[in-house]
Amino acid sequence: MENIIKLYNEQISYLTYKLDVYSKPTIRKKINKYIDKYGEDSLFSNKLSREDLAKFLACNRPALSRELSLMKKEGLI
């Protein structure tokens, strides 16, 4: 029973995080929320492609790439 409760708690935490990401009005804020949880290095690792990251953040890939490029030029990432 304890394991089931732990699993439900983990799933609820993850879904709460995803809801928080989805509720952000701009792609930049979604990226910042992602960085807060997974770290800046995870953006450029081989774990997620840009397409996968765009799906995770609920935005389209070209807009995500454009925003990441702008953030990099501004020195934010």
Side-chain angles (χ1 to χ4, degrees), residues 7-23:
L7 288 173
Y8 278 133
N9 188 34
E10 289 173 9
Q11 189 173 18
I12 289 170
S13 294
Y14 178 75
L15 291 174
T16 302
Y17 168 73
K18 289 288 287 187
L19 182 62
D20 193 25
V21 169
Y22 290 159
S23 69

Side-chain angles (χ1 to χ4, degrees), residues 41-53:
D41 295 335
S42 65
L43 286 174
F44 305 107
S45 70
N46 291 332
K47 292 181 182 178
L48 285 178
S49 67
R50 292 252 173 128
E51 184 69 33
D52 292 336
L53 184 59

Side-chain angles (χ1 to χ4, degrees), residues 59-75:
C59 60
N60 62 31
R61 192 207 44 82
L64 174 67
S65 294
R66 185 173 43 252
E67 192 63 41
L68 286 172
S69 295
L70 285 172
M71 290 175 77
K72 195 168 187 174
K73 283 181 185 177
E74 295 171 5

